[in-house]
Amino acid sequence: MRLGRIDQADLNVFLEELVPSQFPLAKRNVWIPNQEWMPFRWRAHLPRLDGIWVKTRYAERLFRTFHPSVTHVGFSSFDRHDPAILKEPQTFLHVAGQSLQKGTSALLEAWRRNPAWPPLVLVQSPFTGQRVDVPNVDCRLARLEDEDLRALQNRSEFHLYPSEAEGFGHVLCESMGLGGIVMSTDAPPMNE
């Protein structure tokens, strides 16, 4: 079948964003959502999907209430481990990026109340982050070059993510792969 100048594809795979206007471009349509942010308006389009592929068991339970064909496909992350970089004892890292759900405020409050604790390195987006005035927090309000972030991740002994929500815990997977001590919220999907 021809739709304008585009041949109809066998399969559309929508990653995170659901774009119903593109459903006719393929014979089948599946979606890989991040359950922590699904706009309500997308719910009406879910029955039109051929399936929903999910990264976590938590998402599998959630989306089974909306669609009869939900498949757990799992998740993975890039290996960012560099064995040439040694861990520095008692180093703490929190990469919030642009997320407002990483539990950053709780960490900052804990460090503010405990000025004798070792320094916490906090990496935040310059667009969503906020400057902090806590003596034992090294706030980096910038998008770091990948090489710099990778070195920081490899040097850090403790990776702190008391997340309120995650799609599948990308930063958690990276941190575990780095051999860091990962501390996170004991709630789904973080505890998967």
Side-chain angles (χ1 to χ4, degrees):
M1 176 179 174
R2 303 265 308 159
L3 299 173
R5 294 176 33 194
I6 301 172
D7 286 327
Q8 189 177 32
D10 291 328
L11 179 67
N12 267 339
V13 178
F14 297 94
L15 181 60
E16 297 178 8
E17 295 279 335
L18 190 60
V19 187
S21 64
Q22 294 183 4
F23 288 179
L25 299 178
K27 295 173 188 164
R28 300 185 71 218
N29 292 280
V30 298
W31 180 38
I32 304 174
N34 274 7
Q35 75 281 340
E36 79 276 20
W37 55 272
M38 182 184 92
F40 186 78
R41 67 183 182 279
W42 290 351
R43 199 176 286 189
H45 300 286
L46 299 185
R48 297 174 53 204
L49 292 169
D50 294 287
I52 299 175
W53 297 348
V54 295
K55 297 172 257 186
T56 66
R57 295 294 180 191
Y58 175 63
E60 183 179 30
R61 289 189 303 274
L62 290 175
F63 283 98
R64 282 207 188 281
T65 63
F66 300 116
H67 200 278
S69 179
V70 176
T71 303
H72 178 258
V73 293
F75 57 87
S76 66
S77 290
F78 291 112
D79 182 0
R80 298 184 56 81
H81 184 248
D82 184 343
I85 301 175
L86 299 176
K87 292 272 182 260
E88 295 176 6
Q90 295 190 356
T91 50
F92 294 82
L93 175 66
H94 176 71
V95 180
Q98 291 188 51
S99 177
L100 302 176
Q101 299 177 317
K102 289 278 190 265
T104 306
S105 296
L107 280 178
L108 288 173
E109 184 57 29
W111 253 256
R112 183 177 285 115
R113 290 181 182 182
N114 295 281
W117 283 4
L120 168 68
V121 175
L122 167 62
V123 180
Q124 299 181 88
S125 163
F127 305 109
T128 57
Q130 57 183 325
R131 294 217 176 273
V132 297
D133 186 23
V134 180
N136 54 348
V137 174
D138 174 4
C139 182
R140 301 183 187 184
L141 207 55
R143 179 165 177 79
L144 300 182
E145 292 295 323
D146 189 63
E147 181 180 313
D148 296 333
L149 178 60
R150 186 175 181 200
L152 184 59
Q153 289 173 313
N154 275 277
R155 278 196 312 270
S156 300
E157 183 177 26
F158 294 91
H159 296 248
L160 308 178
Y161 296 103
S163 302
E164 298 159 22
E166 291 280 353
F168 68 94
H170 177 71
V171 293
L172 303 174
C173 290
E174 282 184 351
S175 298
M176 288 187 291
L178 294 161
I181 298 169
V182 182
M183 300 173 80
S184 186
T185 308
D186 186 14
M190 288 75 73
N191 57 9
E192 286 186 39

